[in-house]
Amino acid sequence: MATICAIGLMSGTSMDGIDVAILKTDGVSAIEAGPSLFVPYEAEFRKRIEASLETARQIVKRQERPGELVELEHEITIRHARAVEAFLSSSAGDWGRPEVIGFHGQTVLHRPQAGITVQLGDGALLARQTGLPVVYDMRANDMAHGGQGAPLVPAYHDALARCLPEPYAGGFPVVFVNIGGISNITYVPAAGDPIAFDTGPGNALIDQWVLREGGVPFDADGAIASEGHVVAGVVERYMAAPFFLKSGPKSLDRNDFTLALAEGLELSDGARTLAAVSAKAILKATEHMPEPPRLWIVCGGGRKNPHIVGDLRTGAEKMGATVIVAEDAGLDGDATEAEAWAFLAVRSLKGLPLTFPTTTGCHEAVTGGILAQPDKMGLPGG
């Protein structure tokens, strides 16, 4: 199959900025990853997005944009357009000429039980601003076919798992762990479709905790947590949530877990304990896997927290498994999700499935996405 050069844009549940990545792929197995870029949101804009989550709770139909959400969606889209311009005007622009953009947008509401997921981002506006075709709104068709609309990255994880370098090649089952604001896993067997689901809080609770208690937006390299201790009782109270008893597919909204169970902890103890919660939640996911994985590959911002990764490694080793970070396998752990959106855009253009019954609970494997051309308002695509 012919390869297509695509840009992927991702702004995740950590709401810290925009990841830009470029990829040449056939949407199946040929993958050549190029450079990437991170464009951070300034603190005030990040606060605006966080504040919008409360407004988004009013949404009943996914097309609704109450209150400030209309203006915010416009601004988010323009910032993505400027990120693409900055990326292509850098040396990355010499790597390949993009033919399409995969645009995630900013999730402000995810209520799969109500069949609603809302990502702020105007694909038609982005296409006009960049002069490139844009595939966006990739979750909706999955939900229309009975799926939870998340996670979508597993199709890309599955492709990556089947082309790992030595000494990791062929070490199935492989599990990719993406630790963003919320953590999710993709279980890749030697044969068959991937299995995927959200595992629980990732960085979100830690970020909220250190911002509230320490006035900093995140715990850089786990420095705050390194001064603290794990309060086991708090970890166990988090692990008692009914969510962990459910098998996949399952997905979370950023607000499904809160800081309520950590109230009263000292700053560093809270940061360390919440890191332990993130790791324990990931390990608990093995209860819903067909067999224990042999290899765990950790991606996303959470791989930079040595406490999350250390706890995960300790627990996995007891199960006879190896834990590595993305870079150990020659991957870019910061860019994986943005790369995935480029990969999914190509799959959408080719009418290939983005989701599977084993990843989102959809009735059948389905494609998705809307294709917006630079000179048009957006036509059904994929």
Side-chain angles (χ1 to χ4, degrees), residues 38-280:
F38 176 66
V39 180
Y41 289 143
E42 64 273 21
E44 285 305 311
F45 191 69
R46 184 177 181 179
K47 288 179 181 177
R48 283 183 61 195
I49 298 175
E50 290 176 342
S52 76
L53 301 182
E54 187 61 35
T55 303
R57 290 175 181 268
Q58 304 172 26
I59 296 175
V60 177
K61 297 181 179 179
R62 52 187 301 277
Q63 296 85 1
E64 294 174 348
R65 297 293 185 268
E68 73 274 16
L69 295 188
V70 172
E71 180 181 353
L72 186 60
E73 181 166 56
H74 180 85
E75 290 189 38
I76 285 172
T77 305
I78 295 299
R79 285 168 185 264
H80 277 74
R82 299 293 89 84
V84 172
E85 291 174 4
F87 182 69
L88 293 178
S89 65
S90 71
S91 59
D94 299 327
W95 187 83
R97 182 175 180 176
E99 300 168 66
V100 67
I101 294 173
F103 180 30
H104 178 270
Q106 181 67 59
T107 298
V108 291
L109 181 71
H110 185 68
R111 284 285 178 257
Q113 66 274 19
I116 297 175
T117 185
V118 178
Q119 287 72 45
L120 296 184
D122 185 336
L125 175 60
L126 184 64
R128 294 194 297 271
Q129 288 284 319
T130 61
L132 291 168
V134 173
V135 178
Y136 68 106
D137 203 11
M138 294 193 221
R139 300 185 188 274
N141 197 45
D142 175 77
M143 299 190 89
H145 286 80
Q148 300 217 1
L152 261 67
V153 178
Y156 184 53
H157 285 162
D158 183 84
L160 290 177
R162 301 189 189 284
C163 57
L164 290 173
E166 295 294 344
Y168 307 113
F172 297 101
V174 174
V175 169
F176 274 84
V177 184
N178 179 64
I179 307 176
I182 292 168
S183 296
N184 55 71
I185 62 97
T186 302
Y187 174 97
V188 183
D193 292 336
I195 297 170
F197 49 88
D198 287 349
T199 62
N203 300 318
L205 292 183
I206 303 170
D207 292 349
Q208 292 168 32
W209 177 260
V210 297
L211 179 62
R212 193 185 77 179
E213 301 295 321
V216 294
F218 61 94
D219 186 8
D221 299 319
I224 296 173
S226 67
E227 301 293 325
H229 300 86
V230 175
V231 180
V234 172
V235 176
E236 293 310 311
R237 286 199 290 275
Y238 274 105
M239 290 302 104
F243 172 81
F244 297 111
L245 298 176
K246 302 176 184 176
S247 59
K250 56 182 178 177
S251 58
L252 287 165
D253 182 78
R254 191 176 187 271
N255 293 318
D256 285 340
F257 283 88
T258 72
L259 295 176
L261 299 179
E263 295 295 349
L265 295 182
E266 182 271 332
L267 171 63
S268 58
D269 284 351
R272 181 64 184 92
T273 299
L274 291 170
V277 168
S278 298
K280 187 72 175 287

